[in-house]
Amino acid sequence: MSDRSAASGGNPELREFLRSRRARITPAEVGLTPHPGSRRVPGLRREEVAQLAGMSVDYYVRLERGRNLNVSESVLDALARALRLDETERSHLFTLARPSRAQRRPMPPQRVRPGLHRVLETLGDTPAMITGHRMDVLASNRLARVLYTDFDALPPRERNMARYLFLDESARDLYVDWDEAARSTVAALHLYAGRHPHDPRLAELVGELSVRDQDFRRWWAAHDVLRHSHGSKRYRHPLVGELTLAYEALTPSGDDEQILGVYTAEAGSSSEQALRLLASWTSEPVAPTHPERLS
């Protein structure tokens, strides 16, 4: 959003994020006595947030509307404490309240470094992939393509984890906890949107998924944010059955806009056996792939 649009129309991402955060907290949870009469909002009112953060109601209203672009760090800290934001939400608040003043311009294309791509291919017994802007799949090794789908066979525009999760019916069968995986993906996209509010391909992706999937539309409206770092996922694969894999999201040195995701099974577990069996399906030699350049 440009300075002119911020001044005239406010900051819609900041507005909706603050509204969603105060809506989830009741006065009783933060030690406030509810005002008598019916409440029109499910959570905290604006004046209650202002009281908890130690600021005037007028100041908070202007802040929620995105019309105070010189807000101090101490004010944002007080607001984060009042709304009980976790560290990821706090960072997101700071990003939204201090939008980049860069003009809209095409985003530079992304390409995986040849050395990093060779590292990816050496992980033959471990599913691994590299994602970039808006969770585009920039590269994946053979085992990842067997676990999920053959992203290399898709048109570049369709190589995207959010698009795969919501628009590929096989994804709903693959993930045992599909709701959790899909909702966390939406939250990760919201975090990205805070850093890159003018990415036209993000707007295209969100628009398409909102039209085609009601779950995405509902979860996008929730404005949750999440930073993928590590965890575990459960799968029900059509070739090897159920397996649980731990994942680590690693940021390669020199490019914090790319993520190397590596999936491993616990040693000696049935999941490790299933992963080995799955790897046997990728044992045929294939021509090396070359990641497409994506914007």
Side-chain angles (χ1 to χ4, degrees):
M1 179 178 294
S2 67
D3 294 343
R4 179 180 299 177
S5 64
S8 60
N11 184 330
E13 278 293 322
L14 177 61
R15 178 177 65 247
E16 296 306 320
F17 179 68
L18 290 175
R19 284 179 175 176
S20 67
R21 298 310 90 176
R22 64 182 172 89
R24 68 181 182 177
I25 303 174
T26 66
E29 288 176 319
V30 291
L32 294 179
T33 302
H35 294 291
S38 62
R39 298 178 64 87
R40 292 184 300 173
V41 294
L44 295 176
R45 292 169 170 165
R46 289 172 174 170
E47 57 266 28
E48 291 167 336
V49 175
Q51 177 184 343
L52 291 168
M55 62 183 69
S56 71
V57 176
D58 178 66
Y59 187 91
Y60 175 75
V61 170
R62 287 189 289 115
L63 178 59
E64 186 173 288
R65 290 175 177 171
R67 295 182 177 176
N68 188 338
L69 302 183
N70 297 312
V71 58
S72 69
E73 182 173 333
S74 61
V75 167
L76 292 176
D77 276 331
L79 191 54
R81 288 193 298 270
L83 293 174
R84 298 186 171 186
L85 303 186
D86 62 27
E87 188 57 36
T88 300
E89 292 170 327
R90 179 185 179 278
S91 176
H92 188 59
L93 171 64
F94 272 67
T95 300
L96 294 179
R98 296 173 171 178
S100 170
R101 297 181 184 275
Q103 298 297 315
R104 289 181 173 88
R105 60 171 65 94
M107 299 188 70
Q110 287 186 294
R111 189 175 180 85
V112 178
R113 298 194 304 264
L116 184 58
H117 193 264
R118 287 195 295 272
V119 169
L120 186 72
E121 291 297 340
T122 62
L123 300 173
D125 297 329
T126 302
M129 66 175 62
I130 299 172
T131 56
H133 293 156
R134 72 200 75 83
M135 302 187 74
D136 285 343
V137 178
L138 304 179
S140 57
N141 66 7
R142 286 183 293 178
L143 192 48
R145 294 194 292 272
V146 173
L147 176 64
Y148 293 107
T149 191
D150 189 352
F151 290 104
D152 287 356
L154 299 175
R157 175 182 173 276
E158 297 180 15
R159 300 174 192 175
N160 178 275
M161 281 304 293
R163 195 183 300 274
Y164 164 71
L165 273 164
F166 285 96
L167 301 184
D168 190 325
E169 285 299 323
S170 68
R172 296 178 186 258
D173 296 327
L174 176 65
Y175 285 88
V176 174
D177 307 300
W178 181 86
D179 283 12
E180 179 182 339
R183 188 162 189 167
S184 68
T185 295
V186 176
L189 275 181
H190 251 306
L191 195 66
Y192 172 85
R195 301 194 309 271
H196 302 285
H198 305 309
D199 180 355
R201 290 189 58 190
L202 173 67
E204 177 188 354
L205 176 66
V206 170
E208 179 183 3
L209 295 182
S210 295
V211 169
R212 298 180 62 180
D213 192 280
Q214 63 179 355
D215 289 325
F216 180 91
R217 185 166 59 249
R218 183 176 75 255
W219 292 332
W220 184 258
H223 285 266
D224 292 331
V225 291
L226 175 69
R227 190 184 310 279
H228 286 144
S229 59
H230 65 280
S232 65
K233 296 183 185 295
R234 297 190 300 158
Y235 304 92
R236 187 180 298 109
H237 198 274
L239 295 178
V240 298
E242 294 194 2
L243 65 163
T244 300
L245 301 179
Y247 71 86
E248 293 287 339
L250 311 173
T251 303
S253 177
D255 193 341
D256 59 4
E257 292 291 338
Q258 294 187 20
I259 298 295
L260 170 61
V262 181
Y263 300 78
T264 59
E266 183 179 354
S269 66
S270 59
S271 294
E272 183 185 45
Q273 296 175 3
L275 196 58
R276 287 178 178 174
L277 179 59
L278 191 63
S280 70
W281 288 80
T282 71
S283 58
E284 302 84 1
V286 297
T289 60
H290 301 282
E292 296 283 346
R293 184 183 293 270
L294 296 174
S295 62

